[in-house]
Amino acid sequence: MTYTSASQLTIVSCPVLICALMVCISSTAFTAGQALDLQRPVLRHNLDPAKAEEYEDAVKTVMAMSEEEMLSFLPEYTYTQYCECPNCYGGSQGGGIFTWSVEQPNEMTCKYCDTVLPDEKYPEQRALIGQNALGEEISIPYHFNEEKQIPHFLSNHLAYLRRGWLARQATALGRAYRVTMKPEYARRVALILERVADRYAHYPAMANRNARTYNFLPSQVPPYPWNGGRWGSFHNEIPLSLVQAYDLVYDSEEFDKLSAQSGYDWREKIENDLFKATFASVEAIPNHIGNAIGQGYNVTNAAILGQVIGEPHIVHWAFKWMVATVDNAFYADGMWKEGTPSYHHMTLGGLRSAFNMVRGYTDPPGYSHPETSQRFDDLQPEEIVPLWGKVQTAPSVLDWPNGHSPCIHDTHPYERRSAARTETVSTILPAFGHASLGRGTGDNQMQAQLHFSGGYGHQHSDNLNLNLFAKGSEMLCDIGYTWSQMYSWTLQSLCHNLVVIDRKNQPTAKSDGSLLTYFPDTEGVSVVEADGMRGYQNIEDLAMYRRMLVMIPVSDADAYVLDIFHVHGGQVHDWTVNGDADEDTTARASIPLPESHKWMLEEGEEWREPTLQGHAINQYGMVRDVGLGETDSEFHVTFAYEADDTKGIRVHMANSYPVEVWLGRSPSVRRMGVGRNADMRKAYDFWMPKLVVRRKADAPLHSVFAAVHEPMHGTPFIGTVERLELTPADENAVAIRVTHGDVTDTIISTLDAAPYPERKTADGISLHGRLGIVRQTAGVTTAAWLFEGDELTDGRQSVKTPAAAYTGQLLAVTRKAEGAAHDAFVTDADLPTDG
């Protein structure tokens, strides 16, 4: 029986920087329409009347301005969120590069080189010209670096910083009004909201993904793409701070006075031309299932907006997408579909916030949704989404012993979501596609993780990737996520610990792997095996792509991992591992590497330096300063830490083919900074060892790579690793002998099926089955493990099983959430009943 992941979704997502705002929903009932009698404020703003002086102090600066000076902080056209410093290009793609203060409102300062802009050295000599939805021409000036061919929208980014301050001041003014009821504060809020409502229709819709891709969207009418909008983007077009401010001052008589003076209803204009208009642009987007759902994002902001302006259909719309996100975008094991701990926790936190925004909500008397006939009375979201409980802790079962999240797909390095553990065991997320073999206590905890998920957003080309943690460090690592020009490198298959076929990247669509075997702990030995064929759909003759990891104990302190990788198809097989990305390490091979190469690019291939997150690269150009040698026998490579060269990992290759051994280094990326704190100038400041073992052939190639990973701190504990011959031989059958002290482990692995043939070593150890391990101390058998087989023997004594495997059909599934007594599979397999 093959287990594969469930439905496939296209999930649109991107991290954005937001201001966290603390709001919780009032427990009072709501009625529809701005003219009806809503209790104001609708939201609970957690205001403390005893701190009235603090609230007033927070708005002294804006209150000292004239009304027109205050309104001048609102830009004439839409903003530029990202802008690079033309002097140093520090930081990450123009995100959060500049500091700004209201005391110096017409300048901004680079955090990295202290350059103050605007500066006559960087004149805005060009203009970006386009039209808004009304057909009006908009001209946005910018400075252009002719040498680097990079635009800098300096004045427009400055306007973005000024606008952000004004939006925050609107909320601060609303708070000051609420605790003092001084009309002058409410008047200022009303003036800001009316001016934004007046301008919103004139703002052009802009693509605003990074500093160099700011442009007019091809269509100026909704739906907008995820990275574009008028006020914000797919994530935050609804201006939450202004919605909050409106709620705080809604009942002020200043609205009535200003309406009488101008001849039109200011509340009606603000609600229709600003708030309902922003919601309309959001509602036009067909799919809102994604990681950007929390407070400060459009779905949750819509739920808040619907309550503030008395429109229950908006609340229902928002809650529908909250529930759909849980039901349709998490795997059955509770893991977020994008498969990254970072985005799981982002989505989880966002959903918690989103549910809090509607918890306790009650529809107006007599209201039911016109399409669904649903109404809410004291809404309790968790009662409607039974998977929610499992979602809370799903990725934590894979966390490293130090509490850090493993860098699966786009996971930020050093993200810590769990407390450090004192003991590690094997765990699995089978629906997502990731297993962790674990053992040990204290400083001797160890994990070897096998990844076999598909790609549903924020994925890497990494099917059957291996990560290994031991002795307190990620010794064989996945780099993880970066918001820098090195992002493309982190996605590449060669950047991971797997086999690259024909120097090609794995495609990521419809690439789910299949779990084949999982034994979490059988008297200390743990096993996982997965098939990754769908990960390499672009290899036409591919017949096999599968990997098995076996964690075998040596003592309380030590264990090793047997790593068997079967590949059949293609003409170049590159088995590869990274060293540690967090600390300086060295790598030394046990065989000579007489040739030196600048990189692994082939003759005629050109290198194009990436300068932005989305720039494509030739992955082999990232492996530099390479030594090259050849061998047809066993060898090992020792990765050692410079700070303590007794700590490291030896990778033993139990090789029986002619192979090329390439040992060099590649950018480790992590230490250049995480997220928006990355400094792209440091892209090549940090490196990690990189080992590539290559087989080549002119015809479809069949390789069985067998490695033993030996983490160590102190004296190495493995004496020898050798590959043995089996009788009868088979191209998929492998026998490995590992010695440690006076102990010898003989491991036989096959792809045989029942009825199992005998596979026998020269000294009489034989297996009828898939995997067997015989441990001998001073020549005497002291332990034996048989997995999925009939018999394992050393010639004198044997291990037999009544059945190698239990097979059958899954006939049904029962769920407690649907009223059943058990969460269970129903099968026609003849299962044992003795436990």
Side-chain angles (χ1 to χ4, degrees):
M1 181 177 64
T2 298
Y3 189 94
T4 58
S5 300
S7 59
Q8 298 174 2
L9 297 175
T10 301
I11 301 177
V12 181
S13 56
C14 179
V16 295
L17 300 177
I18 61 171
C19 295
L21 303 168
M22 293 189 62
V23 182
C24 61
I25 299 302
S26 169
S27 60
T28 57
F30 307 103
T31 55
Q34 59 128 345
L36 299 179
D37 187 21
L38 283 172
Q39 179 178 335
R40 297 290 179 175
V42 172
L43 309 176
R44 234 181 243 150
H45 296 267
N46 297 324
L47 299 177
D48 184 355
K51 296 181 179 180
E53 186 176 347
E54 292 182 22
Y55 295 124
E56 291 193 277
D57 283 344
V59 297
K60 279 186 176 179
T61 300
V62 71
M63 291 302 297
M65 297 177 181
S66 68
E67 291 177 350
E68 281 307 312
E69 183 184 4
M70 174 189 74
L71 294 174
S72 72
F73 280 72
L74 186 70
E76 295 181 7
Y77 35 74
T78 194
Y79 65 96
T80 308
Q81 181 174 349
Y82 304 102
C83 184
E84 292 176 279
C85 174
N87 181 61
C88 75
Y89 292 93
S92 174
Q93 303 184 106
I97 301 302
F98 297 100
T99 60
W100 176 91
S101 71
V102 68
E103 289 75 26
Q104 301 291 333
N106 297 315
E107 62 184 44
M108 56 189 183
T109 303
C110 175
K111 295 178 181 178
Y112 295 89
C113 68
D114 295 327
T115 296
V116 177
L117 298 167
D119 187 306
E120 60 183 12
K121 289 169 57 178
Y122 308 106
E124 295 189 303
Q125 74 276 47
R126 295 193 183 186
L128 178 66
I129 298 174
Q131 291 185 339
N132 62 17
L134 302 175
E136 300 167 337
E137 184 174 279
I138 307 294
S139 178
I140 305 174
Y142 64 95
H143 168 72
F144 190 72
N145 184 320
E146 297 285 354
E147 179 184 353
K148 295 180 178 291
Q149 296 289 292
I150 297 175
H152 299 267
F153 291 87
L154 301 171
S155 60
N156 204 30
H157 184 67
L158 180 59
Y160 163 71
L161 299 175
R162 289 164 56 94
R163 189 200 81 167
W165 176 83
L166 183 65
R168 293 189 296 274
Q169 285 299 297
T171 308
L173 287 162
R175 293 190 184 112
Y177 168 75
R178 205 74 231 167
V179 296
T180 67
M181 302 306 288
K182 293 180 180 179
E184 57 266 33
Y185 297 139
R187 176 181 172 86
R188 293 284 179 129
V189 175
L191 290 170
I192 293 170
L193 294 175
E194 194 274 345
R195 183 63 62 89
V196 178
D198 189 59
R199 287 190 178 173
Y200 183 73
H202 300 274
Y203 284 155
M206 306 296 292
N208 209 335
R209 182 177 184 180
N210 60 52
R212 304 180 196 177
T213 58
Y214 184 66
N215 214 329
F216 290 84
L217 288 173
S219 173
Q220 287 291 303
V221 296
Y224 304 129
W226 67 268
N227 63 328
R230 293 183 185 178
W231 178 264
S233 68
F234 172 83
H235 298 85
N236 56 1
E237 184 73 5
I238 298 172
L240 179 58
S241 58
L242 301 185
V243 174
Q244 289 182 291
Y246 184 63
D247 184 46
L248 287 161
V249 303
Y250 177 90
D251 54 5
S252 169
E253 294 181 357
E254 293 303 302
F255 281 106
D256 304 311
K257 293 178 182 178
L258 291 166
S259 297
Q261 293 170 10
S262 61
Y264 56 85
D265 188 322
W266 275 42
R267 293 187 185 91
E268 183 178 345
K269 178 179 180 180
I270 291 166
E271 290 191 17
N272 289 337
D273 295 354
L274 175 58
F275 295 142
K276 291 181 181 178
T278 59
F279 173 70
S281 71
V282 170
E283 187 181 28
I285 299 166
N287 187 0
H288 291 270
I289 294 177
N291 54 46
I293 196 169
Q295 190 173 342
Y297 295 118
N298 282 327
V299 169
T300 307
N301 291 359
I304 297 169
L305 174 62
Q307 295 173 72
V308 168
I309 66 175
E311 295 285 356
H313 77 278
I314 297 180
V315 181
H316 280 248
W317 177 92
F319 186 64
K320 175 192 73 173
W321 285 111
M322 296 176 198
V323 174
T325 298
V326 178
D327 287 347
N328 299 328
F330 286 87
Y331 290 94
D333 53 27
M335 188 66 182
W336 174 241
K337 289 251 176 184
E338 289 175 311
T340 93
S342 289
Y343 281 97
H344 181 102
H345 288 292
M346 174 181 171
T347 310
L348 173 61
L351 281 165
R352 285 172 179 160
S353 175
F355 286 156
N356 284 337
M357 293 304 104
V358 295
R359 181 173 287 105
Y361 169 77
T362 296
D363 279 322
Y367 178 85
S368 62
H369 192 276
E371 295 177 6
T372 66
S373 299
Q374 186 179 33
R375 73 166 278 111
F376 297 137
D377 290 286
D378 189 23
L379 177 60
Q380 299 300 317
E382 292 83 357
E383 296 176 0
I384 302 174
V385 282
L387 183 60
W388 182 239
K390 189 176 290 187
V391 166
Q392 308 300 307
T393 58
S396 65
V397 302
L398 303 178
D399 285 348
W400 297 129
N402 60 12
H404 288 190
S405 299
C407 284
I408 307 167
H409 298 316
D410 276 355
T411 298
H412 291 292
Y414 315 124
E415 184 162 299
R416 184 172 180 173
R417 299 287 183 168
S418 302
R421 291 194 305 270
T422 58
E423 183 177 9
T424 289
V425 297
S426 297
T427 54
I428 191 169
L429 292 175
F432 163 46
H434 198 96
S436 175
L437 305 183
R439 70 176 300 276
T441 60
D443 293 338
N444 296 317
Q445 295 174 85
M446 178 175 168
Q447 281 176 286
Q449 300 195 350
L450 180 61
H451 179 70
F452 51 97
S453 81
Y456 299 96
H458 284 283
Q459 71 272 7
H460 293 188
S461 297
D462 63 352
N463 212 304
L464 301 192
N465 184 53
L466 160 71
N467 289 346
L468 192 147
F469 181 103
K471 311 301 181 184
S473 299
E474 290 180 57
M475 291 186 166
L476 302 179
C477 79
D478 184 336
I479 291 173
Y481 196 16
T482 179
W483 290 352
S484 72
Q485 77 274 41
M486 303 306 273
Y487 179 66
S488 183
W489 165 234
T490 69
L491 303 180
Q492 310 296 309
S493 295
L494 187 64
C495 187
H496 296 83
N497 305 315
L498 43 76
V499 174
V500 182
I501 304 178
D502 290 346
R503 304 177 77 247
K504 294 180 179 179
N505 265 323
Q506 297 176 3
T508 56
K510 300 180 180 179
S511 59
D512 301 78
S514 298
L515 179 65
L516 301 175
T517 301
Y518 177 61
F519 294 94
D521 186 353
T522 302
E523 297 298 321
V525 174
S526 49
V527 184
V528 64
E529 184 177 24
D531 176 88
M533 283 278 290
R534 284 184 291 271
Y536 255 124
Q537 303 163 55
N538 54 341
I539 305 299
E540 292 184 3
D541 61 358
L542 186 65
M544 188 178 298
Y545 192 75
R546 62 194 289 169
R547 188 175 209 168
M548 173 186 282
L549 302 180
V550 187
M551 184 175 286
I552 301 174
V554 169
S555 65
D556 289 343
D558 294 313
Y560 62 89
V561 175
L562 174 63
D563 175 4
I564 300 177
F565 209 132
H566 294 264
V567 188
H568 192 173
Q571 296 179 324
V572 179
H573 295 169
D574 285 339
W575 185 99
T576 181
V577 291
N578 303 319
D580 194 315
D582 298 324
E583 299 183 50
D584 292 329
T585 55
T586 61
R588 186 180 70 257
S590 64
I591 60 171
L593 305 175
E595 294 186 32
S596 297
H597 296 265
K598 177 181 179 181
W599 43 29
M600 289 189 70
L601 291 176
E602 295 187 346
E603 187 175 352
E605 292 180 335
E606 295 183 3
W607 175 252
R608 293 187 179 181
E609 188 67 31
T611 59
L612 271 185
Q613 185 170 355
H615 286 178
I617 62 166
N618 182 329
Q619 56 187 331
Y620 283 85
M622 281 295 187
V623 183
R624 311 278 176 91
D625 304 324
V626 188
L628 171 62
E630 296 183 1
T631 185
D632 60 1
S633 60
E634 293 91 355
F635 67 95
H636 64 261
V637 174
T638 303
F639 299 83
Y641 289 82
E642 290 189 4
D644 180 0
D645 63 7
T646 69
K647 177 181 174 181
I649 185 168
R650 283 200 301 177
V651 176
H652 303 262
M653 298 301 299
N655 181 55
S656 61
Y657 310 114
V659 295
E660 297 175 352
V661 180
W662 300 72
L663 183 59
R665 61 178 187 159
S666 59
S668 59
V669 180
R670 288 185 183 182
R671 286 183 284 169
M672 67 187 287
V674 176
R676 291 295 177 205
N677 293 319
D679 188 348
M680 299 204 303
R681 298 172 298 177
K682 298 179 179 180
Y684 296 106
D685 286 2
F686 306 102
W687 299 82
M688 61 187 180
K690 183 67 173 175
L691 170 64
V692 179
V693 181
R694 172 174 289 177
R695 292 196 70 216
K696 297 186 294 186
D698 295 330
L701 185 60
H702 191 168
S703 299
V704 183
F705 292 98
V708 170
H709 306 291
E710 176 197 5
M712 57 194 180
H713 195 179
T715 304
F717 59 87
I718 288 182
T720 60
V721 174
E722 58 181 323
R723 196 154 174 167
L724 307 178
E725 292 186 359
L726 285 170
T727 304
D730 180 82
E731 61 183 357
N732 288 313
V734 179
I736 306 293
R737 179 160 293 160
V738 179
T739 64
H740 43 94
D742 61 351
V743 177
T744 299
D745 294 339
T746 303
I747 308 114
I748 303 175
S749 170
T750 79
L751 298 185
D752 294 337
Y756 298 104
E758 182 182 49
R759 305 290 178 193
K760 190 173 185 179
T761 65
D763 60 354
I765 294 176
S766 70
L767 170 70
H768 294 259
R770 288 271 288 111
L771 177 64
I773 305 169
V774 173
R775 171 161 291 177
Q776 297 174 314
T777 305
V780 177
T781 298
T782 54
W785 294 264
L786 173 61
F787 300 89
E788 198 172 334
D790 294 331
E791 183 177 10
L792 173 67
T793 179
D794 65 356
R796 294 179 297 276
Q797 51 190 333
S798 62
V799 176
K800 297 181 180 181
T801 59
Y806 297 92
T807 61
Q809 298 295 316
L810 286 180
L811 304 178
V813 177
T814 62
R815 302 178 67 224
K816 292 180 181 178
E818 295 175 349
H822 304 282
D823 289 328
F825 293 119
V826 179
T827 177
D828 61 4
D830 185 16
L831 299 178
T833 58
D834 60 0

